[in-house]
Amino acid sequence: GGRAGPSPLRALRIAVVVCLYWFTSIAMVFLNKYLLDSPSLRLDAPLFVTFFQCALTAALCLGLSLGAACGPPCSGLPALRLDPKVSRSVLPLSAVFIGMVTSNNLCLKHVGVAFYNVGRSLTTVFNVLLSYLLLKQTTSLYALLACGVIIGGFWLGVDQEGAEGTLSWTGIFFGISASLCVSLNAIYTKKVLPVVDGSIWRLTFYNNVNACVLFFPLMMLLGEFRTLYNFDKLGSPSFWGMMTLGGVFGFAIGYVTGLQIKFTSPLTHNVSGTAKACAQTVLAVIYFEETKSFLWWTSNLMVLGGSFAYTWVKGLEMRKVQEDPNVKNGERNETGV
């Protein structure tokens, strides 16, 4: 639509897309927590859960692309076929992608949903660090101060989880590595996109197929096949229903994220993500009937506030660059998602 002003229809569309993103993202976290670490399920196979989600995503991509060949509802999607040469070019990104989804799930397995957001809060900090180390981009003082607040919130959160006796260093380790991988993933995605003709769709397909292949030896190494063989609910339709639902949400989150960025902007997407994290934390505390200390909530607010401030500062800097084309190139770095 035209950008003259937000028509009621456009505003409604944006509201629907944002709600969809919130719902998909929060539902996925709670579902994954159930699959990875539910006392009623007792399945200790985090890689298998992740592998299944990747396999389902690849299958859904393929299915939709076949649907696109048949006609209008899905048309506009590129035809997918596996080209080993492209697969090899995408491999470095796939390794980062595997690191990202695995650390994410392992972090979620070891920490509560309420702390999950703080556990993975260092992505922004890694964005700044990596864009300096890899892309030689500098960051303004205000953006660095915002990062400082995030780091402070992270440390306070770790401290408070420790004080409550719910701290898992394993969870923290995977939280930090997930943050690093999310950041690397964004940088590598930009590098690899030309190989797949700029199609995020194709990239998703190759990434997930590669991941499935790479997960196999990892699952063997960690003895997950034995775990699965001894798993009592392997024949249970409700278990596979939950697994499939988790996979569908995992597939949908990529699409919904893309939609939210398209209908709003990368900055608004970041703000929405921060607000969603806040809602998710409150929901988790209520749902799991946890009581948290004042300082614990403070750590969450610091992380959210810091992320929000960083997004805001970046937004102002970008606007300045758009208004004044003579601003030196060093300040022209895009926002990390």
Side-chain angles (χ1 to χ4, degrees), residues 17-336:
V17 167
V18 171
C19 287
L20 217 89
Y21 169 77
W22 276 46
F23 172 74
T24 310
S25 183
I26 292 177
M28 188 176 91
V29 170
F30 276 91
L31 242 170
N32 279 348
K33 181 64 179 170
Y34 167 79
L35 290 169
L36 294 160
D37 185 40
S38 147
S40 62
L41 200 61
R42 290 199 310 280
L43 171 64
D44 186 20
L47 288 185
F48 171 70
V49 172
T50 317
F51 160 80
F52 183 82
Q53 289 173 351
C54 290
L56 197 62
T57 299
L60 284 167
C61 283
L62 200 56
L64 285 174
S65 105
L66 291 174
C70 302
C74 316
S75 57
L77 298 176
L80 296 175
R81 48 168 215 290
L82 262 184
D83 178 345
K85 206 163 85 228
V86 175
S87 207
R88 266 203 304 279
S89 312
V90 178
L91 209 55
L93 173 64
S94 299
V96 173
F97 172 74
I98 284 190
M100 179 175 80
V101 287
T102 308
S103 329
N104 249 334
N105 278 352
L106 284 167
C107 172
L108 186 56
K109 181 178 169 62
H110 291 283
V111 304
V113 174
F115 184 68
Y116 178 58
N117 177 50
V118 173
R120 287 168 54 258
S121 62
L122 296 180
T123 301
T124 306
V125 180
F126 281 121
N127 282 346
V128 169
L129 213 62
L130 290 172
S131 47
Y132 178 70
L133 292 173
L134 301 177
L135 311 171
K136 296 287 170 277
Q137 290 174 342
T138 51
T139 304
S140 67
L141 179 65
Y142 287 121
L144 287 175
L145 284 174
C147 286
V149 175
I150 296 175
I151 294 173
F154 176 78
W155 270 119
L156 182 60
V158 171
D159 173 68
Q160 286 305 299
E161 284 283 301
E164 295 189 0
T166 46
L167 179 65
S168 153
W169 280 110
T170 318
I172 299 294
F173 169 75
F174 285 118
I176 294 173
S177 47
S179 303
L180 175 62
C181 289
V182 168
S183 197
L184 279 170
N185 191 55
I187 290 175
Y188 273 97
T189 298
K190 280 213 174 79
K191 268 193 172 144
V192 174
L193 265 174
V195 180
V196 286
D197 312 321
S199 163
I200 287 281
W201 185 251
R202 241 183 222 139
L203 189 59
T204 303
F205 177 66
Y206 275 106
N207 242 343
N208 283 283
V209 169
N210 281 351
C212 288
V213 176
L214 293 171
F215 268 129
F216 250 80
L218 285 174
M219 291 186 330
M220 282 183 112
L221 272 174
L222 292 172
E224 289 203 0
F225 289 113
R226 197 176 315 116
T227 310
L228 281 169
Y229 180 74
N230 297 321
F231 179 54
D232 56 348
K233 294 190 182 62
L234 205 56
S236 142
S238 73
F239 165 68
W240 289 107
M242 290 297 250
M243 285 286 283
T244 306
L245 202 58
V248 169
F249 274 123
F251 172 75
I253 192 69
Y255 179 67
V256 179
T257 300
L259 267 187
Q260 179 165 268
I261 292 171
K262 183 178 143 192
F263 280 111
T264 59
S265 71
L267 283 176
T268 314
H269 167 67
N270 278 358
V271 173
S272 171
T274 305
K276 183 230 63 159
C278 184
Q280 183 174 294
T281 301
V282 174
L283 271 175
V285 170
I286 295 168
Y287 178 78
F288 294 107
E289 296 175 353
E290 298 166 332
T291 37
K292 300 292 187 187
S293 66
F294 173 72
L295 280 175
W296 188 91
W297 285 109
T298 309
S299 80
N300 263 280
L301 284 174
M302 283 173 74
V303 163
L304 295 168
S307 308
F308 182 75
Y310 178 83
T311 302
W312 193 59
V313 168
K314 279 286 176 216
L316 289 179
E317 286 172 9
M318 279 175 75
R319 205 165 303 142
K320 209 187 296 172
V321 170
Q322 282 158 0
E323 282 164 11
D324 178 10
N326 306 325
V327 173
K328 63 181 188 300
N329 230 14
E331 288 176 18
R332 262 176 208 229
N333 41 359
E334 64 294 346
T335 57

